[in-house]
Amino acid sequence: MFHDRARIVVRSGRGGDGALSFRREKYVPRGGPDGGDGGRGGDVTLVADPALRDLSSLRGRRLFAAARGGNGGGSRKHGADGAPVELAVPVGTQVTGDDGGLVSDLARVGARVVVARGGGGGRGNARFATPTRQTPRFAETGMPGEEHALELRLKLVADAALAGLPNAGKSSLLRRISNATPKVADYPFTTLQPVLGTVESPDGAQLTVADVPGLIEGASDGVGLGHAFLAHLERARLLVHVIDGSDGDADTRFATIDRELALYGAGLDERPQIVVLNKADLTPDPAPFSVDDARILAVHRVSCATGVGIQELKRALFALCPAAPEVGDEEAELPEFLDYRPAPPARRSFRILRTDRGFRVVGAVPSDDELEEALRGAGIRRGVLVEIGDEELEWE
Ligand SMILES: Nc1nc2c(ncn2[C@@H]2O[C@H](COP(=O)(O)OP(=O)(O)OP(=O)(O)O)[C@@H](O)[C@H]2O)c(=O)[nH]1
Ligand SMILES: [Mg+2]
């Protein structure tokens, strides 16, 4: 099975706590503060890996959690950073967050995005020593990690994509022009999952072409295989509309597919097209194709069975496929090729310090709920003292 969707939960590590510690040496009655800092919590990062075909490797598991940072220790010992988690996803994976908004689009090989940022480590009390405060009796606790529910959706990245009715000969064409060997058979819906092929020109240029399942009238209402797989056409800059041209019905077939492209949306009905009238071997004298449309850059009559017209079509593909946007040309790339938007680091308007009596809260606390969550995260227990401003409370 080809899985182009997955739902996962990612959780970054909490930062380790800073240590509250004083130097103890023989014959030194009152050593200075020497509590080290806590380590950073681990991040969860997605990386676009060209070796992956689809999202099936993420489907067995739901939660991906990075490790928490280690606590600081005495003698200014720093806690270890929490081990990060790196998840490989196929190139073309789009990530949507809890609120349904696009978080990131890993459209290029090696693109990375941090989807859950590890919490910062707390500072140990050694860092709070000043000439006027030589024995700071507090240390910061670590910052919390983040947890997000994400939906991953693969949209294949191809230069061109084949579209057409079942049995038109799309897979036969991909076999003819590329290194891919999708299944071909004389019944509709032979192709059940998208296949990518690489087409090479004599001078060494390459184009990737996607073959997707056939579309039929009503696909937008779920007829046939539906049209969800048209997501794999969204990034293609050129559509190759394959039509069985062996009888006089090519114009009607063109219109049927065109309607489905428009109903799907995402601008598919505005893409430039090459129309391929296939199965030329079956009719020596075919009816003309008479659709006149500015999107149609060229019409080619071919036979995937005999190879007639295939070389000319390949040349046209290289000549007519619109150039890829330049890497770094943000205006051309965004929003379609957006591939990195870092999640903002967790920020808080207050901090929680560990003291030798319990906890102390400093800064502006937005709500009781938030404070409670933060104190729980810092490991508070029943009966422990919490100082907030001049107030002293006992945790229940
Ligand atoms: N005579 C002839 N038959 C062809 C030609 N191209 C494809 N076919 C046949 O048409 C049938 C369908 O071909 P496919 O390539 O599987 O068609 P498809 O468009 O990929 O079909 P789906 O995957 O079902 O959407 C097969 O039996 C092919 O052998 C051609 O140029 N001439
Ligand atoms: Mg096919």
Side-chain angles (χ1 to χ4, degrees):
M1 270 300 280
F2 177 88
H3 290 292
D4 51 10
R5 279 169 192 263
R7 281 176 183 282
I8 58 171
V9 174
V10 291
R11 187 190 292 158
S12 56
R14 175 186 173 76
D17 296 335
L20 177 55
S21 162
F22 293 92
R23 200 158 47 234
R24 278 174 215 278
E25 288 170 51
K26 267 184 197 167
Y27 317 119
V28 182
R30 273 191 301 163
D34 71 351
D37 301 341
R40 246 180 64 77
D43 295 338
V44 181
T45 305
L46 303 183
V47 186
D49 181 346
L52 292 182
R53 249 179 81 253
D54 69 2
L55 290 162
S56 49
S57 62
L58 294 184
R59 290 182 60 105
R61 229 170 103 196
R62 199 170 136 73
L63 176 68
F64 296 88
R68 64 162 286 166
N71 294 338
S75 312
R76 295 179 185 255
K77 226 181 108 211
H78 282 222
D81 288 344
V85 165
E86 261 194 25
L87 297 178
V89 296
V91 177
T93 299
Q94 287 190 340
V95 186
T96 17
D98 324 58
D99 58 357
L102 188 67
V103 173
S104 166
D105 186 353
L106 296 114
R108 263 194 303 273
V109 173
R112 311 167 63 86
V113 63
V114 176
V115 285
R117 204 169 281 279
R123 285 173 291 179
N125 69 332
R127 304 262 233 124
F128 294 99
T130 62
T132 55
R133 185 172 60 200
Q134 295 185 0
T135 51
R137 298 189 178 281
F138 59 88
E140 278 174 346
T141 59
M143 295 299 272
E146 309 175 312
E147 182 172 310
H148 301 293
L150 302 177
E151 172 159 4
L152 307 184
R153 182 149 191 222
L154 173 60
K155 293 182 178 175
L156 289 181
V157 180
D159 299 302
L162 308 181
L165 291 165
N167 262 339
K170 299 179 295 299
S171 302
S172 305
L173 180 62
L174 195 68
R175 289 181 85 104
R176 270 283 177 192
I177 63 176
S178 82
N179 60 342
T181 53
K183 189 174 164 192
V184 166
D186 64 353
Y187 53 84
F189 303 118
T190 307
T191 301
L192 297 175
Q193 41 194 256
V195 178
L196 278 181
T198 304
V199 186
E200 302 218 1
S201 78
D203 59 13
Q206 289 189 333
L207 281 180
T208 49
V209 177
D211 175 26
V212 303
L215 270 178
I216 54 176
E217 183 160 9
S220 61
D221 298 321
V223 181
L225 296 178
H227 70 181
F229 55 80
L230 288 184
H232 299 295
L233 269 56
E234 279 182 42
R235 300 181 198 266
R237 302 187 301 281
L238 176 73
L239 298 185
V240 178
H241 191 154
V242 182
I243 299 174
D244 180 343
S246 62
D247 55 27
D249 248 1
D251 291 8
T252 333
R253 289 180 179 148
F254 177 86
T256 302
I257 294 301
D258 202 36
R259 236 178 348 258
E260 294 302 326
L261 294 178
L263 286 169
Y264 176 80
L268 290 190
D269 60 333
E270 289 161 21
R271 280 310 131 83
Q273 299 190 3
I274 290 181
V275 169
V276 173
L277 302 167
N278 187 29
K279 309 197 184 183
D281 55 293
L282 295 181
T283 24
D285 192 18
F289 178 73
S290 54
V291 177
D292 183 21
D293 191 308
R295 292 168 301 164
I296 301 178
L297 306 180
V299 179
H300 281 258
R301 220 171 258 286
V302 307
S303 166
C304 293
T306 65
V308 163
I310 294 293
Q311 285 313 318
E312 293 81 346
L313 172 61
K314 269 176 82 168
R315 274 197 291 278
L317 273 178
F318 282 95
L320 298 177
C321 188
E326 293 273 319
V327 172
D329 180 351
E330 295 202 355
E331 221 164 275
E333 280 183 57
L334 297 171
E336 263 192 280
F337 294 86
L338 168 81
D339 75 355
Y340 180 61
R341 199 177 81 195
R347 271 189 203 288
R348 259 191 197 167
S349 56
F350 63 97
R351 304 229 53 166
I352 294 181
L353 307 178
R354 193 187 295 279
T355 69
D356 45 9
R357 304 173 64 203
F359 289 95
R360 185 186 307 156
V361 181
V362 296
V365 180
S367 72
D368 286 356
D369 284 353
E370 205 152 331
L371 178 61
E372 189 177 325
E373 191 193 320
L375 284 167
R376 278 185 202 286
I380 196 162
R381 293 214 179 78
R382 178 189 286 254
V384 171
L385 179 84
V386 182
E387 298 169 77
I388 307 175
D390 296 336
E391 272 185 277
E392 293 192 355
L393 314 165
E394 207 183 275
W395 189 256
E396 310 221 345

